[in-house]
């Protein structure tokens, strides 16, 4: 990725105000795509190259971990970050160990912390792309 190419970030969360806050915080730095459901997120993945996927864990139809696990066969390259307001450490650690999630951030997220983790994810993504 060159300096003029903005990184594409997909944020999946069933709470619209979280999507709005995220987009407001990061739209000047990244190409931001937001989705309120796993179905909507998959549609974005089908039509757009995404570098980093961020998803909420607790959603009505599917969990963030279930969503990330389901997309890996078709979209293995994007870095994957899980946001959660709950500390179910066994589930989260299991998802990290199995490679479904690369980082977990507790809600409420701080803009600085999330920005730093996105940057780390981008570096991970870029390094993997360069290894191909």
């Amino acid at each position: 990725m060159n300096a003029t190419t903005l990184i594409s970030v997909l944020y999946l969360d069933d709470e619209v105000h979280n999507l709005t806050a995220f987009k407001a915080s990061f739209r000047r730095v990244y190409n931001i795509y937001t989705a309120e459901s796993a179905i909507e997120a998959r549609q974005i993945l089908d039509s757009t190259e995404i570098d980093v996927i961020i998803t909420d864990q607790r959603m009505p139809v599917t969990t963030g971990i279930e969503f990330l696990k389901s997309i890996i066969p078709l979209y293995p390259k994007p870095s994957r970050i899980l946001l959660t307001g709950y500390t179910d450490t066994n589930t989260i650690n299991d998802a990290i160990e199995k490679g479904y999630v690369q980082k977990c951030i507790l809600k409420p997220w701080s803009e600085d912390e999330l920005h730093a983790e996105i940057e780390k994810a981008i570096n991970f993504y870029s390094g993997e792309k360069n290894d191909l």
Side-chain angles (χ1 to χ4, degrees), residues 75-124:
Y75 307 102
K77 293 296 179 190
S79 294
R80 298 173 297 278
I81 298 172
L82 184 72
L83 294 178
T84 185
Y86 303 92
T87 54
D88 181 358
T89 54
N90 290 337
T91 302
I92 293 168
N93 287 337
D94 186 54
I96 291 170
E97 287 175 14
K98 290 181 178 173
Y100 307 144
V101 175
Q102 288 146 337
K103 179 68 180 180
C104 180
I105 298 173
L106 292 178
K107 284 182 172 181
W109 49 266
S110 79
E111 188 173 329
D112 291 338
E113 176 189 16
L114 192 50
H115 179 73
E117 291 304 330
I118 292 170
E119 289 298 315
K120 287 179 190 174
I122 291 165
N123 291 334
F124 175 83

